[in-house]
Amino acid sequence: MESEASQFESSELLATFLVSSGLLTESWRLCNKANSSKPSQSFVVDQIGSIGLVAFTGVTLVSGSEPSYRNWIPLEGACNGIYNYMIRPNEGEEPVMVDAGFLQLFLDIFGSSTFKSQMEPILKCKSIVITGHSLGGTTASLAALWLLSYFKSTFSCQKIICITFGSPLLGNESLSNVISRERWGGNFCHVVSKHDIMPRLLFAPLAPFTFQLQSLLKFWHFSMLNSQFGQLVQNQLRDDEIFRFVLAHLEKVTHDDRGIGVYGGDVVGSKVFWPFGSYLFCTEDGALCFDNAKSVVRMMYLLLATTTSSPSLSIEDHLKYGDYVARISTEFLKSSSLTEGVLPESSSDAGTLLAVQSLGIASQEPIAGLSKDCVKMSRPIGRPPNQNVAHLAIKLSQINPYRAQIEWYKAICDECDDNLGYYDSFKRMTSRKHFTVNMHRHKLAQFWDHVIHMMETNQLPHDFSKLGKWVNASQFYKLLVEPLDIADYYRRGNHREKGHYLKHGRERRYEIFDRWWQERHSSGEEYERRNYASSTQDSSFWAKVEEARDWLDSVQKETDRMKAAWLWDKLDDFERYSRELINDKQVSKDVLLKNSSYSLWVEEWRVFKSQGQRFPMQLPECFNEEMVP
């Protein structure tokens, strides 16, 4: 029987690390300092050894005409490209959207000379902690996303962790999905207290509560600066109305099985804010961490529902994170004892019961059963990530015979008397062995697509894409099999209907494997080859050959001088590129066989150039006459 997966394998380890290392305490200390700073100081920095810390103040107001801040903006292209290195949403997904007001808060800070000068030494630290309380939490999240995207573009290895306290939600479900696929979920820990309404506010459309929301923000902001100031606006709060409104809408989102919201009967899809990363829920009795978004939303609702007898707690709790941080102990779950009844025999049930108890929910409370279901829902289904890797390794060994059959097929094609080679032989597909290889190609594709699916659904360790065995195996697969995919694409004539392979036919798995390889070999060091490579080191080389053949056909027929010049330049560029690959012996010998598509293109290109003119077409007669502007 397979062992049970740990309920808290990733999120609980993250929370334990933050508390045991002192980072949670240090983060709150710096947040408190940022909140107490003068209004013109929007952030503070500190450095402890090789760790750089940046805290953003929560004492700020969001500009905009609507206090509910529901002005959505696409993250891609909205910030001068600083987030362009994040992967794009999958086909059919909504674009990544964030709140425009929160984004503008960050961009105002990001564009300041003070921020740039103070971040310069922080960027040199081995580890960077970004933190923020209240609205400063959204600024911290955007800053962390910027750093993760920046370090990804430079192939740097700095460790980034973002810790927020009572932060409102930032963006839509597509943002959550992209962060998960980037394997960045473990870089974010959002601390949320049991009653705090601020992290739950944006599940509801708050336009009807403009005045109350403005008063609420003023109360929080003044209280962060000085508790006496906060009392001046406290009497203006109508906390029960806004509390019940948010609770009602949060309940609707919780009971929507699709994970999207229903506002006034209308499904709004991407217009609902959605959590990402890990959430550390804190109560007077302990803490519990989740990294499953639906579980996070449900627990937000269940804990807030315990506040119905005293709605004012949902307002006051936003200012008590210092007390919660001080109470959290790394040994809490280990040292907790069951205070009610008998400990269940199942370790899973016992862990669930202790987890619910740590949130201060007694077994007799009406929401106890729902809370247990929520904890169980957050549990990973199946094996733990490390066991999944071991099972994948077994499956990899089982499909290796398919790869070996394709290697054997390549060797035969490269030595065949027809001088076609691996690519062109498969493209023609004239014998039974070609069909067998095609079947093996599909089986290998299914395996690697399954690997990517497991990685993107967090079933594999967060550093899986950096493990040498898997990076090398994926690269070997790509170099061997992608030429067959290209040959199949052009044999079927898909380029005539969809366009050329590189833009319209290349499978996403190859782009992912390119990124894995580049991140692991970022230095770009190459050794000098004495012999030609066993596989051409540019797996998409044959797609470029096919495009070059198309350009050559077009330039011979083109009558427009500008278009002909453009095509000629493209052909020149490809000739130089392919010659460099050959000179560096980065190609397989099948590229140079007499009847290969590349060799035929080289000969046709040589003949065409030998005709003497760069643009062989005749110029119109009017070009020989005097022209008047």
Side-chain angles (χ1 to χ4, degrees):
M1 186 175 70
E2 295 177 358
S3 60
E4 293 181 352
S6 169
Q7 293 187 27
F8 318 110
E9 180 165 5
S10 57
S11 57
E12 189 65 25
L13 285 176
L14 172 63
T16 301
F17 165 73
L18 293 179
V19 178
S20 62
S21 64
L23 285 180
L24 197 66
T25 303
E26 283 298 321
S27 296
W28 176 252
R29 178 189 65 80
L30 207 62
C31 282
N32 207 27
K33 181 178 178 181
N35 288 342
S36 304
S37 302
K38 54 186 179 181
S40 60
Q41 189 173 355
S42 52
F43 68 97
V44 295
V45 299
D46 196 3
Q47 189 168 343
I48 304 174
S50 61
I51 301 176
L53 297 97
V54 183
F56 294 93
T57 180
V59 185
T60 184
L61 290 173
V62 179
S63 59
S65 58
E66 188 179 351
S68 60
Y69 320 129
R70 292 192 165 275
N71 297 318
W72 292 87
I73 187 170
L75 191 60
E76 182 182 357
C79 317
N80 297 320
I82 65 175
Y83 295 110
N84 283 357
Y85 284 91
M86 293 173 59
I87 61 176
R88 306 293 183 267
N90 286 342
E91 185 176 352
E93 279 189 347
E94 296 285 345
V96 172
M97 306 286 282
V98 297
D99 181 86
F102 296 154
L103 181 60
Q104 190 58 51
L105 275 178
F106 169 67
L107 292 179
D108 289 344
I109 298 171
F110 180 79
S112 68
S113 58
T114 304
F115 182 75
K116 293 177 180 177
S117 62
Q118 294 199 36
M119 283 299 293
E120 188 173 343
I122 297 295
L123 293 177
K124 298 176 183 177
C125 295
K126 292 183 179 180
S127 301
I128 302 175
V129 178
I130 310 293
T131 187
H133 172 227
S134 193
L135 297 183
T138 59
T139 310
S141 293
L142 286 166
L145 286 173
W146 159 62
L147 285 175
L148 288 166
S149 183
Y150 171 74
F151 287 137
K152 176 184 175 182
S153 69
T154 59
F155 303 105
S156 301
C157 57
Q158 279 98 327
K159 295 179 175 61
I160 308 296
I161 187 73
C162 177
I163 305 170
T164 70
F165 300 90
S167 171
L169 299 173
L170 174 63
N172 63 352
E173 189 173 5
S174 289
L175 174 65
S176 178
N177 292 339
V178 165
I179 289 173
S180 178
R181 284 194 289 269
E182 284 281 12
R183 316 293 285 172
W184 291 346
N187 296 88
F188 294 87
C189 181
H190 306 285
V191 183
V192 174
S193 65
K194 183 176 182 178
H195 307 293
D196 185 9
I197 199 173
M198 178 59 126
R200 289 112 164 157
L201 271 178
L202 295 184
F203 282 114
L206 298 172
F209 295 88
T210 299
F211 176 78
Q212 292 94 322
L213 186 60
Q214 289 175 339
S215 299
L216 178 60
L217 291 176
K218 288 179 181 178
F219 167 68
W220 280 333
H221 295 166
F222 286 135
S223 295
M224 291 177 199
L225 293 171
N226 189 308
S227 58
Q228 294 181 348
F229 292 158
Q231 295 298 323
L232 297 177
V233 296
Q234 187 175 19
N235 294 333
Q236 303 178 42
L237 293 177
R238 296 163 61 187
D239 46 43
D240 57 333
E241 290 186 21
I242 193 168
F243 168 81
R244 299 187 189 285
F245 187 75
V246 170
L247 182 64
H249 281 275
L250 184 53
E251 183 179 15
K252 290 180 181 179
V253 176
T254 300
H255 290 102
D256 182 3
D257 292 336
R258 289 172 294 176
I260 55 180
V262 184
Y263 287 162
D266 297 325
V267 179
V268 294
S270 65
K271 299 303 182 184
V272 171
F273 288 86
W274 201 244
F276 61 85
S278 295
Y279 273 71
L280 182 63
F281 289 96
C282 301
T283 72
E284 297 86 351
D285 301 292
L288 191 62
C289 203
F290 294 87
D291 57 9
N292 178 288
K294 287 188 177 181
S295 296
V296 168
V297 175
R298 291 193 179 190
M299 191 53 70
M300 280 189 173
Y301 163 70
L302 292 172
L303 292 179
L304 190 65
T306 65
T307 320
T308 52
S309 60
S310 183
S312 61
L313 287 177
S314 66
I315 308 299
E316 298 164 2
D317 224 32
H318 187 61
L319 304 172
K320 295 182 178 180
Y321 282 94
D323 296 334
Y324 287 117
V325 170
R327 290 174 183 170
I328 295 174
S329 168
T330 57
E331 298 299 317
F332 182 81
L333 280 178
K334 296 180 182 178
S335 62
S336 289
S337 59
L338 190 66
T339 58
E340 306 168 14
V342 181
L343 188 69
E345 292 184 4
S346 166
S347 60
S348 175
D349 291 343
T352 299
L353 196 55
L354 286 172
V356 172
Q357 179 182 315
S358 72
L359 292 175
I361 299 174
S363 298
Q364 65 270 20
E365 290 191 46
I367 66 167
L370 294 175
S371 300
K372 292 177 184 178
D373 292 339
C374 183
V375 171
K376 291 177 180 178
M377 185 179 72
S378 69
R379 176 182 181 177
I381 299 175
R383 308 181 189 93
N386 288 333
Q387 286 190 19
N388 283 333
V389 174
H391 279 263
L392 276 182
I394 295 173
K395 290 183 179 180
L396 178 63
S397 66
Q398 292 172 345
I399 66 165
N400 275 341
Y402 301 138
R403 191 190 72 184
Q405 287 287 326
I406 296 178
E407 290 181 77
W408 173 78
Y409 167 81
K410 183 180 187 303
I412 291 177
C413 291
D414 290 351
E415 298 297 333
C416 192
D417 293 338
D418 59 12
N419 285 312
L420 286 173
Y422 178 51
Y423 173 78
D424 286 284
S425 293
F426 187 78
K427 186 179 177 183
R428 296 191 181 190
M429 231 180 205
T430 55
S431 68
R432 182 179 177 83
K433 62 183 178 183
H434 302 304
F435 292 95
T436 302
V437 167
N438 193 45
M439 180 180 64
H440 294 338
R441 176 177 72 94
H442 285 294
K443 289 180 178 179
L444 290 172
Q446 289 174 358
F447 170 77
W448 285 106
D449 284 342
H450 177 62
V451 170
I452 292 172
H453 171 74
M454 292 185 69
M455 187 190 71
E456 293 182 341
T457 53
N458 293 319
Q459 299 179 56
L460 298 174
H462 285 281
D463 62 348
F464 178 81
S465 62
K466 296 179 175 61
L467 298 178
K469 172 180 178 176
W470 291 98
V471 173
N472 293 332
S474 64
Q475 176 73 357
F476 191 94
Y477 158 75
K478 177 170 68 79
L479 296 180
L480 180 66
V481 176
E482 187 169 15
L484 301 183
D485 285 9
I486 297 168
D488 183 72
Y489 188 83
Y490 284 94
R491 180 179 62 81
R492 294 176 180 275
N494 291 340
H495 61 293
R496 299 188 186 95
E497 298 178 5
K498 302 178 181 178
H500 281 292
Y501 172 86
L502 285 176
K503 287 187 177 180
H504 304 284
R506 197 179 193 216
E507 294 289 346
R508 192 169 69 93
R509 77 178 84 93
Y510 296 129
E511 297 175 359
I512 292 173
F513 296 157
D514 281 342
R515 188 168 70 247
W516 289 6
W517 184 259
Q518 290 167 5
E519 289 175 353
R520 185 170 175 84
H521 299 81
S522 57
S523 62
E525 296 179 1
E526 296 285 349
Y527 65 90
E528 185 176 349
R529 294 179 179 270
R530 296 183 179 181
N531 300 309
Y532 288 110
S534 59
S535 296
T536 300
Q537 298 302 289
D538 179 357
S539 63
S540 59
F541 174 78
W542 290 107
K544 296 171 184 176
V545 171
E546 295 288 358
E547 289 197 40
R549 294 180 67 188
D550 187 48
W551 295 334
L552 185 53
D553 288 341
S554 298
V555 78
Q556 295 180 72
K557 303 171 185 176
E558 187 57 63
T559 57
D560 184 280
R561 184 179 179 86
M562 295 297 293
K563 291 182 179 179
W566 179 81
L567 289 168
W568 195 289
D569 287 340
K570 299 287 281 185
L571 288 163
D572 272 341
D573 290 342
F574 175 71
E575 182 183 29
R576 282 192 298 271
Y577 169 72
S578 60
R579 183 54 55 188
E580 287 176 2
L581 284 182
I582 294 170
N583 290 341
D584 293 339
K585 292 183 167 54
Q586 298 286 318
V587 299
S588 173
K589 63 181 182 180
D590 66 315
V591 171
L592 303 176
L593 292 177
K594 184 175 67 172
N595 294 325
S596 74
S597 293
Y598 175 73
S599 295
L600 295 177
W601 174 84
V602 169
E603 179 60 21
E604 189 177 353
W605 176 232
R606 183 191 65 79
V607 171
F608 181 63
K609 289 196 297 182
S610 69
Q611 295 176 357
Q613 290 186 351
R614 178 174 169 87
F615 307 111
M617 72 293 293
Q618 295 294 322
L619 298 178
E621 292 182 2
C622 65
F623 274 59
N624 297 321
E625 300 174 359
E626 182 179 0
M627 299 186 67
V628 180

